[in-house]
Amino acid sequence: QILSCRENLFPDEWIGGMEKLQDRVPAKSGKEAWTLAYEASPGGKAGFHKTFTDFDDVPLAAASLGQVHRARLRGSGERVAIKIQRPRLRDIYDKDLLLMKKIAKAVDFFGKAGQVGGIEQSWEGIFNDAETILYREIDYRDEAENAIRFANDFGIGLGGVAIESTARGSDGKTKLESAAEWLRTPYTYGDLSSEKFLVMEYVPSIKVNNYAKLDEAGVTVEDREYLAEALAHSYLRQFCSNKFFSTDPHPGNLGIEVFEDGRAPRMVFYDFGQACSLSDDQAGGILEAIESIIDYDAKKSVAAFSRMGVLKDNADLEKVEAKCQQNYDTGKLKVKKRKRRQGSKYQSNVDTDSNTELESRIEQAGKTSKTSGSTSEVNDAEVMEYFTLQSEYAFVARALSQMDGVGKGLDPEFDFISAAAPYLVEVKGAGKYLVDEAKKRLKFVYDPDDGLLAKEMALFKSFGFNPAETTTSVRKR
């Protein structure tokens, strides 16, 4: 599923074969499908028929763990999609995961042989977290909770209507607006779901990489660029505000909802069997890392890595900073300006003042980088040994990899940082964003190492005074 998103890495026939794993795995139909439904339904056969009608025994889609069928709620007549789990999955998991755990321990035993790109990690630790997520994936009650949380975080209700979002900006105060204008996810009927039976609102869409059908539906090049940006926007909020994200954004889990009334299309998220939570420091560190890339600020990059917890205690911070600066100076990491879209249907999604501010910020960062004066070249291998990855970042990397493949399919020039950059004000909160920008412009005053305040503090301390302690003492009096 992951490799099928990387159209730039494999021949078309390989991609076509791997894409079948997304939603076209051989499925049970007819009498076998009815049997699966009765066995998985909380109320058995009688309960199933009491709750549902018009069950289609030919599945809409089928993946490795389950298959999805259309039906209607008998009471309201609403169309629903029922996800039914394949039999014996827990037995298969028990056997496979026991073997994989032995392999993970063996890889850790051989030390550097298990490193990827020179980065140290505990494969057993990563496996333990993956095992937890995998077992949660075959309990549809957990998936229902994930889906409900995702919808609430983005403020999306039944029918795709806007409701109040539960998410807050990184300042902890600013309420984020509903994403219902540009994002859709099915409403989940948690009370009708069980361990092997998940009931959702039926939300038809066009598979995100079915380009022929997107053409037929009139989805333009501008629409696709807008949708790619919406995908990045959603993950900026997931990583940095919601602190909870879907780890599996492959094309089988993403669709495009198209309207006939002139509205912009919406990105649709399905399937929340695999989701991951982040701590405050992990989420905040990711946001700081994104901003440091936009500003080409190597020192800020190192501070972000420290907050994320990915640097070892013995890391040579000067060398890591030098490598970051080298990447910025050589253009290895580069942020592009936001594309201008002309259609009136996009205007409510465009903040002209923020866009102008962002373009100015990118231009200023580029000028600063060009005049920074690069230090001697640092090899990747020299700095990678200073990094260690917590297991959550394995899932972040997985999500980013799949998102990048989907994004480039919609917009060949897509990259996550550039597409997410216009929404930093939203995620940080306008107040915090403006304060941070003001401090950055007054760096000669506020810089913690070289600013006037830092030098003034050092001068006071050299005479035996500690202004911080003095201020605290005065306040107590």
Side-chain angles (χ1 to χ4, degrees), residues 115-187:
Q115 291 185 4
V116 175
I119 300 176
E120 182 179 296
Q121 61 274 302
S122 164
W123 284 105
E124 186 177 1
I126 290 174
F127 171 81
N128 288 336
D129 283 338
E131 182 181 38
T132 300
I133 289 176
L134 287 167
Y135 273 117
R136 283 176 61 88
E137 190 178 20
I138 58 172
D139 189 334
Y140 288 169
R141 292 168 298 191
D142 287 326
E143 181 172 349
E145 287 181 10
N146 292 340
I148 291 168
R149 176 174 175 180
F150 183 92
N152 289 338
D153 282 343
F154 282 104
I156 302 170
L158 179 64
V161 301
I163 61 174
E164 185 176 346
S165 166
T166 56
R168 297 290 182 272
S170 63
D171 60 2
K173 302 174 183 176
T174 306
K175 281 187 178 182
L176 298 191
E177 291 185 3
S178 165
E181 183 180 347
W182 49 273
L183 195 70
R184 180 79 188 271
T185 191
Y187 178 84

Coordinates of all heavy atoms in Angstrom, one line a residue, residues 115-187:
Q115 N 20.6 -0.1 11.9 CA 20.3 1.4 11.7 C 19.9 1.6 10.3 O 20.3 1.0 9.3 CB 21.6 2.2 12.0 CG 22.0 2.2 13.5 CD 23.2 3.0 13.8 OE1 23.7 3.7 12.9 NE2 23.6 3.0 15.0
V116 N 19.0 2.7 10.1 CA 18.6 3.1 8.8 C 19.1 4.5 8.6 O 18.7 5.4 9.4 CB 17.0 3.1 8.7 CG1 16.6 3.6 7.4 CG2 16.5 1.6 8.9
G117 N 19.9 4.7 7.6 CA 20.4 6.0 7.3 C 21.3 6.5 8.4 O 21.5 7.7 8.6
G118 N 21.9 5.6 9.2 CA 22.8 6.0 10.3 C 22.0 6.5 11.6 O 22.7 6.8 12.6
I119 N 20.7 6.5 11.5 CA 19.9 6.9 12.7 C 19.7 5.7 13.6 O 19.3 4.7 13.2 CB 18.6 7.5 12.3 CG1 18.8 8.7 11.4 CG2 17.7 7.9 13.5 CD1 17.5 9.3 10.8
E120 N 19.9 5.9 14.9 CA 19.7 4.9 15.9 C 18.3 4.8 16.3 O 17.6 5.8 16.5 CB 20.6 5.1 17.1 CG 20.5 4.1 18.2 CD 21.4 4.4 19.4 OE1 22.6 4.4 19.2 OE2 20.8 4.6 20.5
Q121 N 17.7 3.6 16.4 CA 16.4 3.4 16.9 C 16.3 2.0 17.5 O 17.1 1.2 17.2 CB 15.3 3.5 15.8 CG 15.5 2.5 14.7 CD 16.4 3.0 13.6 OE1 16.2 4.0 13.0 NE2 17.4 2.2 13.3
S122 N 15.3 1.9 18.4 CA 15.1 0.6 19.0 C 14.0 -0.1 18.2 O 12.8 0.3 18.2 CB 14.6 0.7 20.5 OG 14.0 -0.5 20.9
W123 N 14.3 -1.1 17.4 CA 13.3 -1.8 16.6 C 12.3 -2.5 17.4 O 11.1 -2.6 17.1 CB 14.0 -2.8 15.6 CG 14.7 -2.1 14.5 CD1 16.0 -1.8 14.3 CD2 14.0 -1.4 13.4 NE1 16.2 -1.1 13.2 CE2 15.0 -0.8 12.6 CE3 12.7 -1.3 13.0 CZ2 14.7 -0.1 11.4 CZ3 12.4 -0.6 11.9 CH2 13.4 0.0 11.1
E124 N 12.7 -3.0 18.6 CA 11.8 -3.6 19.5 C 10.8 -2.6 20.0 O 9.6 -2.9 20.1 CB 12.4 -4.3 20.7 CG 11.5 -5.1 21.5 CD 12.1 -5.9 22.7 OE1 13.4 -5.8 22.8 OE2 11.4 -6.6 23.4
G125 N 11.3 -1.4 20.3 CA 10.4 -0.3 20.8 C 9.4 0.1 19.7 O 8.2 0.3 20.0
I126 N 9.9 0.3 18.5 CA 9.0 0.6 17.4 C 8.0 -0.5 17.1 O 6.8 -0.3 16.9 CB 9.8 0.8 16.1 CG1 10.6 2.1 16.2 CG2 8.9 0.9 14.8 CD1 11.6 2.4 15.1
F127 N 8.5 -1.8 17.2 CA 7.6 -2.9 17.0 C 6.5 -2.9 18.1 O 5.3 -3.1 17.8 CB 8.3 -4.2 17.1 CG 7.4 -5.4 17.1 CD1 6.8 -5.9 15.9 CD2 7.1 -6.0 18.3 CE1 6.0 -7.0 16.0 CE2 6.2 -7.1 18.3 CZ 5.6 -7.5 17.2
N128 N 6.8 -2.7 19.4 CA 5.8 -2.7 20.4 C 4.7 -1.7 20.2 O 3.5 -2.0 20.4 CB 6.5 -2.4 21.8 CG 7.3 -3.6 22.3 OD1 7.1 -4.8 21.8 ND2 8.3 -3.3 23.1
D129 N 5.1 -0.5 19.7 CA 4.1 0.5 19.5 C 3.3 0.1 18.2 O 2.1 0.3 18.2 CB 4.7 1.9 19.2 CG 5.1 2.5 20.6 OD1 4.6 2.2 21.6 OD2 6.0 3.4 20.5
A130 N 3.9 -0.4 17.2 CA 3.2 -0.9 16.0 C 2.3 -2.0 16.3 O 1.2 -2.1 15.8 CB 4.2 -1.3 14.9
E131 N 2.7 -2.9 17.2 CA 1.9 -4.0 17.7 C 0.6 -3.5 18.3 O -0.5 -4.0 18.0 CB 2.6 -4.9 18.6 CG 1.8 -6.1 19.1 CD 2.6 -7.0 20.1 OE1 3.3 -6.4 20.9 OE2 2.6 -8.2 20.0
T132 N 0.7 -2.5 19.2 CA -0.5 -1.9 19.8 C -1.4 -1.3 18.8 O -2.7 -1.6 18.8 CB 0.0 -0.8 20.8 OG1 0.8 -1.3 21.8 CG2 -1.2 -0.1 21.4
I133 N -0.9 -0.6 17.8 CA -1.7 0.0 16.8 C -2.3 -1.0 15.9 O -3.5 -0.9 15.5 CB -0.9 1.0 15.9 CG1 -0.6 2.3 16.7 CG2 -1.6 1.4 14.6 CD1 0.3 3.3 16.1
L134 N -1.6 -2.1 15.6 CA -2.1 -3.2 14.7 C -3.3 -3.9 15.4 O -4.3 -4.2 14.8 CB -1.0 -4.1 14.3 CG 0.0 -3.6 13.3 CD1 1.2 -4.5 13.2 CD2 -0.7 -3.5 11.9
Y135 N -3.1 -4.2 16.7 CA -4.2 -4.9 17.4 C -5.5 -4.0 17.5 O -6.6 -4.4 17.4 CB -3.8 -5.4 18.8 CG -3.1 -6.7 18.7 CD1 -1.8 -6.9 19.1 CD2 -3.9 -7.8 18.3 CE1 -1.2 -8.2 19.1 CE2 -3.3 -9.1 18.3 CZ -2.0 -9.3 18.7 OH -1.4 -10.6 18.7
R136 N -5.2 -2.7 17.7 CA -6.3 -1.7 17.7 C -7.0 -1.7 16.4 O -8.2 -1.5 16.3 CB -5.8 -0.3 18.1 CG -5.5 -0.1 19.6 CD -4.9 1.2 19.8 NE -5.8 2.3 19.5 CZ -6.7 2.8 20.3 NH1 -6.9 2.4 21.5 NH2 -7.5 3.8 19.9
E137 N -6.3 -1.9 15.3 CA -6.9 -1.8 14.0 C -7.9 -2.9 13.7 O -8.8 -2.8 12.9 CB -5.7 -1.9 12.9 CG -6.2 -1.6 11.5 CD -5.1 -1.7 10.5 OE1 -4.1 -2.3 10.7 OE2 -5.3 -1.1 9.4
I138 N -7.8 -4.1 14.4 CA -8.7 -5.1 14.2 C -9.8 -5.1 15.3 O -10.6 -6.1 15.4 CB -8.1 -6.5 14.1 CG1 -7.3 -6.8 15.4 CG2 -7.2 -6.6 12.9 CD1 -6.7 -8.3 15.4
D139 N -9.9 -4.0 16.0 CA -11.0 -3.8 16.9 C -11.7 -2.6 16.4 O -11.3 -1.4 16.6 CB -10.6 -3.6 18.4 CG -11.7 -3.6 19.4 OD1 -12.9 -3.2 18.9 OD2 -11.5 -3.9 20.5
Y140 N -12.8 -2.8 15.7 CA -13.5 -1.6 15.1 C -14.1 -0.6 16.0 O -14.5 0.5 15.7 CB -14.6 -2.2 14.1 CG -14.1 -2.8 12.8 CD1 -14.9 -3.5 12.0 CD2 -12.7 -2.7 12.5 CE1 -14.4 -4.1 10.8 CE2 -12.2 -3.3 11.3 CZ -13.1 -4.0 10.5 OH -12.6 -4.6 9.4
R141 N -14.2 -1.0 17.3 CA -14.6 0.0 18.3 C -13.6 1.1 18.5 O -13.9 2.2 18.7 CB -14.9 -0.7 19.7 CG -16.1 -1.7 19.6 CD -16.2 -2.6 20.9 NE -15.0 -3.4 21.0 CZ -14.9 -4.5 21.8 NH1 -15.9 -4.7 22.6 NH2 -13.8 -5.2 21.8
D142 N -12.3 0.6 18.4 CA -11.2 1.6 18.4 C -11.2 2.5 17.2 O -11.0 3.7 17.3 CB -9.9 0.9 18.6 CG -9.6 0.3 19.9 OD1 -10.1 1.0 20.9 OD2 -9.0 -0.7 20.0
E143 N -11.5 1.9 16.0 CA -11.5 2.7 14.8 C -12.7 3.7 14.8 O -12.6 4.8 14.4 CB -11.7 1.7 13.6 CG -11.7 2.5 12.3 CD -11.7 1.7 11.0 OE1 -11.4 0.5 11.1 OE2 -11.9 2.3 9.9
A144 N -13.8 3.2 15.4 CA -15.0 4.2 15.6 C -14.6 5.4 16.4 O -14.9 6.5 16.1 CB -16.2 3.4 16.2
E145 N -13.8 5.1 17.5 CA -13.4 6.2 18.4 C -12.5 7.1 17.6 O -12.5 8.4 17.7 CB -12.7 5.7 19.6 CG -13.6 5.0 20.6 CD -12.8 4.5 21.8 OE1 -11.6 4.8 21.9 OE2 -13.4 3.8 22.7
N146 N -11.5 6.6 16.8 CA -10.6 7.4 16.0 C -11.3 8.2 15.0 O -11.0 9.4 14.8 CB -9.6 6.5 15.3 CG -8.6 5.7 16.2 OD1 -8.4 6.1 17.3 ND2 -8.1 4.7 15.7
A147 N -12.3 7.6 14.3 CA -13.1 8.3 13.3 C -13.9 9.5 13.9 O -14.0 10.6 13.3 CB -14.0 7.4 12.6
I148 N -14.5 9.2 15.1 CA -15.3 10.3 15.7 C -14.4 11.4 16.2 O -14.7 12.6 16.0 CB -16.1 9.6 16.9 CG1 -17.2 8.7 16.4 CG2 -16.7 10.7 17.8 CD1 -17.8 7.8 17.5
R149 N -13.2 11.1 16.7 CA -12.3 12.1 17.2 C -11.8 12.9 16.0 O -11.7 14.2 16.0 CB -11.1 11.5 17.9 CG -10.1 12.5 18.3 CD -8.9 12.0 19.1 NE -7.9 13.0 19.3 CZ -6.8 12.9 20.1 NH1 -6.6 11.7 20.6 NH2 -6.0 13.9 20.2
F150 N -11.5 12.3 14.8 CA -11.0 13.0 13.7 C -12.1 14.0 13.2 O -11.8 15.1 12.9 CB -10.7 12.0 12.5 CG -10.2 12.6 11.3 CD1 -8.8 12.7 11.1 CD2 -11.0 13.0 10.3 CE1 -8.3 13.2 9.9 CE2 -10.5 13.5 9.1 CZ -9.1 13.7 8.9
A151 N -13.3 13.5 13.1 CA -14.4 14.4 12.7 C -14.6 15.6 13.6 O -14.8 16.7 13.2 CB -15.7 13.6 12.5
N152 N -14.6 15.3 14.9 CA -14.7 16.4 15.9 C -13.6 17.4 15.9 O -13.8 18.6 16.0 CB -14.9 15.8 17.3 CG -16.2 15.1 17.5 OD1 -17.2 15.4 16.8 ND2 -16.2 14.2 18.5
D153 N -12.4 16.9 15.7 CA -11.2 17.8 15.6 C -11.3 18.7 14.4 O -10.9 19.9 14.5 CB -9.9 17.0 15.4 CG -9.4 16.3 16.7 OD1 -9.8 16.8 17.7 OD2 -8.6 15.4 16.6
F154 N -11.9 18.3 13.3 CA -12.1 19.1 12.1 C -13.5 19.8 12.0 O -13.7 20.5 11.1 CB -11.8 18.3 10.9 CG -10.3 18.1 10.6 CD1 -9.7 16.9 10.9 CD2 -9.5 19.1 10.1 CE1 -8.4 16.7 10.6 CE2 -8.2 18.9 9.9 CZ -7.6 17.7 10.2
G155 N -14.3 19.5 13.0 CA -15.6 20.2 13.0 C -16.5 19.7 11.8 O -17.1 20.6 11.1
I156 N -16.6 18.4 11.6 CA -17.4 17.9 10.5 C -18.5 16.9 11.1 O -18.2 16.0 11.7 CB -16.5 17.1 9.5 CG1 -15.4 18.0 9.0 CG2 -17.4 16.6 8.4 CD1 -14.3 17.3 8.2
G157 N -19.8 17.2 10.8 CA -20.9 16.5 11.3 C -21.5 15.6 10.2 O -21.0 15.5 9.1
L158 N -22.6 15.0 10.5 CA -23.4 14.2 9.6 C -23.8 15.0 8.4 O -24.3 16.1 8.5 CB -24.7 13.6 10.3 CG -25.6 12.8 9.5 CD1 -24.9 11.5 9.1 CD2 -26.9 12.4 10.3
G159 N -23.6 14.4 7.2 CA -23.9 15.1 6.0 C -22.8 16.0 5.5 O -23.0 16.8 4.6
G160 N -21.7 16.1 6.3 CA -20.6 17.0 5.9 C -20.8 18.4 6.4 O -20.1 19.3 5.9
V161 N -21.8 18.6 7.2 CA -22.1 20.0 7.7 C -21.0 20.4 8.7 O -20.4 19.6 9.4 CB -23.5 20.1 8.3 CG1 -24.6 19.7 7.2 CG2 -23.6 19.3 9.5
A162 N -20.9 21.7 8.8 CA -19.9 22.3 9.8 C -20.5 22.3 11.2 O -21.6 22.6 11.4 CB -19.6 23.7 9.4
I163 N -19.7 21.8 12.1 CA -20.0 21.8 13.5 C -18.8 22.4 14.2 O -17.8 22.7 13.6 CB -20.3 20.4 14.1 CG1 -19.1 19.5 14.0 CG2 -21.6 19.8 13.5 CD1 -19.3 18.1 14.7
E164 N -18.9 22.7 15.5 CA -17.8 23.3 16.2 C -16.6 22.4 16.3 O -16.8 21.2 16.7 CB -18.3 23.7 17.6 CG -17.2 24.5 18.4 CD -17.7 25.0 19.8 OE1 -18.9 25.0 20.0 OE2 -16.8 25.4 20.6
S165 N -15.5 22.9 16.0 CA -14.3 22.0 16.1 C -13.8 22.0 17.5 O -13.9 23.0 18.2 CB -13.2 22.7 15.2 OG -11.9 22.1 15.5
T166 N -13.3 20.8 17.9 CA -12.7 20.7 19.2 C -11.2 21.0 19.3 O -10.7 21.0 20.4 CB -12.9 19.2 19.7 OG1 -12.3 18.3 18.8 CG2 -14.4 18.8 19.8
A167 N -10.6 21.3 18.2 CA -9.2 21.5 18.1 C -8.9 23.0 18.5 O -9.7 23.9 18.3 CB -8.6 21.2 16.7
R168 N -7.7 23.2 19.0 CA -7.2 24.5 19.4 C -5.9 24.8 18.7 O -5.1 23.9 18.4 CB -7.0 24.6 20.9 CG -8.3 24.5 21.7 CD -9.2 25.7 21.5 NE -10.4 25.6 22.3 CZ -11.6 25.0 21.9 NH1 -11.6 24.4 20.7 NH2 -12.6 24.9 22.7
G169 N -5.5 26.1 18.5 CA -4.2 26.4 18.0 C -3.1 26.1 19.0 O -3.4 25.7 20.1
S170 N -1.9 26.2 18.6 CA -0.8 25.8 19.4 C -0.7 26.7 20.7 O 0.0 26.4 21.6 CB 0.5 25.8 18.7 OG 0.8 27.1 18.2
D171 N -1.4 27.9 20.6 CA -1.4 28.7 21.8 C -2.4 28.2 22.9 O -2.4 28.7 24.0 CB -1.8 30.2 21.5 CG -3.2 30.3 20.8 OD1 -3.9 29.2 20.7 OD2 -3.6 31.4 20.4
G172 N -3.1 27.1 22.6 CA -4.0 26.5 23.5 C -5.3 27.2 23.7 O -6.2 26.8 24.4
K173 N -5.5 28.4 23.0 CA -6.7 29.2 23.2 C -7.5 29.4 22.0 O -8.8 29.3 22.0 CB -6.3 30.6 23.7 CG -5.5 30.6 25.0 CD -5.0 32.0 25.3 CE -4.1 32.0 26.6 NZ -3.5 33.4 26.8
T174 N -6.9 29.6 20.8 CA -7.6 29.9 19.6 C -8.4 28.7 19.1 O -7.8 27.6 18.9 CB -6.6 30.3 18.5 OG1 -5.9 31.4 19.0 CG2 -7.4 30.7 17.2
K175 N -9.7 28.8 18.9 CA -10.5 27.7 18.4 C -10.3 27.7 16.9 O -10.4 28.7 16.2 CB -12.0 28.0 18.7 CG -12.5 27.7 20.1 CD -14.0 27.8 20.2 CE -14.5 27.4 21.6 NZ -15.9 27.5 21.7
L176 N -10.0 26.5 16.4 CA -9.8 26.4 14.9 C -11.2 26.2 14.3 O -12.1 25.6 14.8 CB -9.0 25.1 14.6 CG -7.5 25.1 15.2 CD1 -6.8 24.0 14.5 CD2 -6.9 26.5 14.9
E177 N -11.3 26.8 13.1 CA -12.6 26.8 12.4 C -12.9 25.4 11.8 O -12.0 24.6 11.6 CB -12.6 27.8 11.2 CG -12.5 29.2 11.7 CD -12.6 30.2 10.5 OE1 -12.8 29.7 9.3 OE2 -12.5 31.4 10.7
S178 N -14.1 25.1 11.6 CA -14.5 23.9 11.0 C -13.9 23.8 9.6 O -13.7 24.7 8.9 CB -16.1 23.8 10.8 OG -16.4 22.8 9.9
A179 N -13.4 22.6 9.3 CA -12.8 22.3 7.9 C -13.8 21.8 6.9 O -13.4 21.3 5.8 CB -11.7 21.3 8.1
A180 N -15.1 21.9 7.3 CA -16.2 21.2 6.4 C -16.2 21.8 5.0 O -16.6 21.1 4.1 CB -17.5 21.4 7.1
E181 N -15.7 23.0 4.8 CA -15.7 23.6 3.5 C -14.7 22.9 2.5 O -15.0 22.7 1.3 CB -15.3 25.1 3.6 CG -15.3 25.8 2.2 CD -14.9 27.2 2.3 OE1 -14.8 27.8 3.5 OE2 -14.7 27.9 1.3
W182 N -13.6 22.3 3.1 CA -12.6 21.7 2.2 C -12.3 20.3 2.5 O -11.5 19.6 1.8 CB -11.3 22.6 2.2 CG -10.8 22.9 3.6 CD1 -11.2 24.0 4.4 CD2 -9.9 22.2 4.4 NE1 -10.6 24.0 5.6 CE2 -9.7 22.9 5.6 CE3 -9.1 21.0 4.2 CZ2 -8.9 22.5 6.6 CZ3 -8.3 20.6 5.2 CH2 -8.2 21.3 6.4
L183 N -12.9 19.7 3.6 CA -12.6 18.4 4.0 C -13.9 17.6 4.4 O -14.9 18.3 4.9 CB -11.7 18.4 5.3 CG -11.0 17.1 5.7 CD1 -9.9 16.8 4.7 CD2 -10.3 17.3 7.1
R184 N -13.9 16.3 4.1 CA -15.1 15.5 4.5 C -14.6 14.2 5.0 O -13.6 13.6 4.6 CB -15.9 15.3 3.2 CG -17.2 14.4 3.4 CD -18.3 15.2 3.9 NE -19.5 14.4 4.3 CZ -20.5 14.1 3.5 NH1 -20.4 14.5 2.2 NH2 -21.5 13.4 3.9
T185 N -15.4 13.7 6.0 CA -15.2 12.3 6.5 C -16.5 11.8 6.9 O -17.4 12.5 7.3 CB -14.2 12.3 7.7 OG1 -13.8 11.0 8.0 CG2 -14.8 13.0 8.9
P186 N -16.8 10.5 6.7 CA -18.1 9.9 7.0 C -18.4 10.0 8.5 O -17.5 9.9 9.4 CB -18.0 8.5 6.6 CG -16.8 8.4 5.6 CD -15.9 9.5 6.1
Y187 N -19.6 10.3 8.8 CA -20.1 10.3 10.2 C -20.1 8.8 10.7 O -20.4 7.9 9.9 CB -21.6 10.8 10.3 CG -22.2 10.8 11.7 CD1 -21.9 11.8 12.6 CD2 -23.0 9.7 12.0 CE1 -22.5 11.7 13.9 CE2 -23.6 9.7 13.3 CZ -23.4 10.7 14.2 OH -23.9 10.6 15.4

